[in-house]
Amino acid sequence: MSTLRNRTTVLAAATTAVLALALTACGGDDSGTKSAGPAKNDSAAAAASADATDATTTGTAKTGGAGQNTGATKTGTSKTGTSNGSAKTGGDTSDSYAYKHPCKSGDLSVRVYPREGSATQQVIEVNNVGANSCGLSYFPRVSLGAAKASDHSSDIQPTVPGGLGGAPAYPVKPKTAAIAVIDLNPSGANGLTWIDEMNVLADGDHMPNAETQNFDLGPDVKVRDPKLGLYRSTIAEAVSSMKQAGTS
């Protein structure tokens, strides 16, 4: 009986020791796991925070760059607008100024083209591309001849309206046009076929002959008793004036 009791006591003690070791081992693993968990979470949070900071910084830099570019574009546009505005608004656009300042060839752009709806009429359009108003003679100086001719003494000059008088010049404001219409063959009868060029001097009263511009009329043109009207602001008014050519 004594021997059995001793064996039981030893077995119980051994069991207790084993349980204690097991509990210690479990407690150590649990403690290690808990310690490692927060450490990993803190590291991830720190990394996420760094990434967020980098992303915010990068976004700010891009936004700032775009803002600078936009600002530069607006500034450039503003400068251009101001420059153009000064050029347009800085000149004198009054008729009284035009009466005292004849137009210069460098401030004019001259075009010649067929009038729509007519087989014999041509439009002479003189545009003022300068900053100020300027004055033109009542009508352009026009002659009709052969482009290859060495002698232009036989060129044809159109008749113009008579009884002229009034203002000292025809005023042309900036960015507007003075328009004259010439009818090469008002009657439509057979005419001269060797004429293929129109010579135009925008202001015959103040410009030298050297500033005359030449315009090709094309083939098959027949010229007979041509008529030229005064400068007007529209084609319709210029046609009406042309019909008065040759009358006093």
Side-chain angles (χ1 to χ4, degrees):
M1 292 294 292
S2 177
T3 301
L4 179 61
R5 185 177 299 136
N6 289 336
R7 290 179 177 176
T8 302
T9 300
V10 172
L11 181 60
T15 301
T16 300
V18 171
L19 290 173
L21 289 172
L23 290 173
T24 300
C26 292
D29 292 341
D30 184 63
S31 175
T33 301
K34 290 180 179 179
S35 175
K40 291 180 180 178
N41 290 340
D42 291 343
S43 177
S49 176
D51 291 341
T53 301
D54 290 343
T56 302
T57 302
T58 302
T60 302
K62 289 181 180 179
T63 302
Q68 291 174 2
N69 291 338
T70 302
T73 301
K74 288 182 179 179
T75 301
T77 302
S78 176
K79 287 181 180 179
T80 302
T82 301
S83 176
N84 289 343
S86 298
K88 290 180 180 179
T89 59
D92 194 317
T93 61
S94 66
D95 288 353
S96 58
Y97 184 89
Y99 296 149
K100 298 178 182 179
H101 295 82
C103 295
K104 298 179 180 179
S105 293
D107 291 330
L108 302 177
S109 173
V110 182
R111 296 176 57 209
V112 172
Y113 53 91
R115 186 175 83 84
E116 186 177 356
S118 174
T120 60
Q121 295 177 11
Q122 298 278 327
V123 178
I124 301 170
E125 181 182 300
V126 180
N127 291 275
N128 181 359
V129 297
N132 302 304
S133 290
C134 62
L136 290 171
S137 51
Y138 288 161
F139 52 88
R141 180 183 294 171
V142 176
S143 64
L144 304 163
K148 296 181 179 181
S150 57
D151 180 8
H152 289 274
S153 60
S154 59
D155 285 2
I156 306 299
Q157 293 185 341
T159 57
V160 296
L164 303 180
Y170 181 84
V172 191
K173 297 182 183 299
K175 317 308 177 190
T176 60
I179 297 173
V181 169
I182 182 172
D183 195 329
L184 303 177
N185 190 347
S187 66
N190 289 330
L192 301 175
T193 58
W194 53 269
I195 294 177
D196 60 3
E197 183 180 66
M198 182 187 304
N199 310 302
V200 178
L201 184 61
D203 187 335
D205 293 342
H206 302 94
M207 294 179 179
N209 290 334
E211 295 181 353
T212 299
Q213 299 186 42
N214 312 111
F215 299 90
D216 183 21
L217 292 175
D220 303 325
V221 174
K222 297 179 180 181
V223 177
R224 180 170 180 174
D225 301 327
K227 292 184 176 183
L228 173 68
L230 307 180
Y231 278 129
R232 292 292 183 260
S233 59
T234 67
I235 293 178
E237 292 175 347
V239 170
S240 178
S241 175
M242 176 271 297
K243 292 180 179 179
Q244 302 300 315
T247 62
S248 58

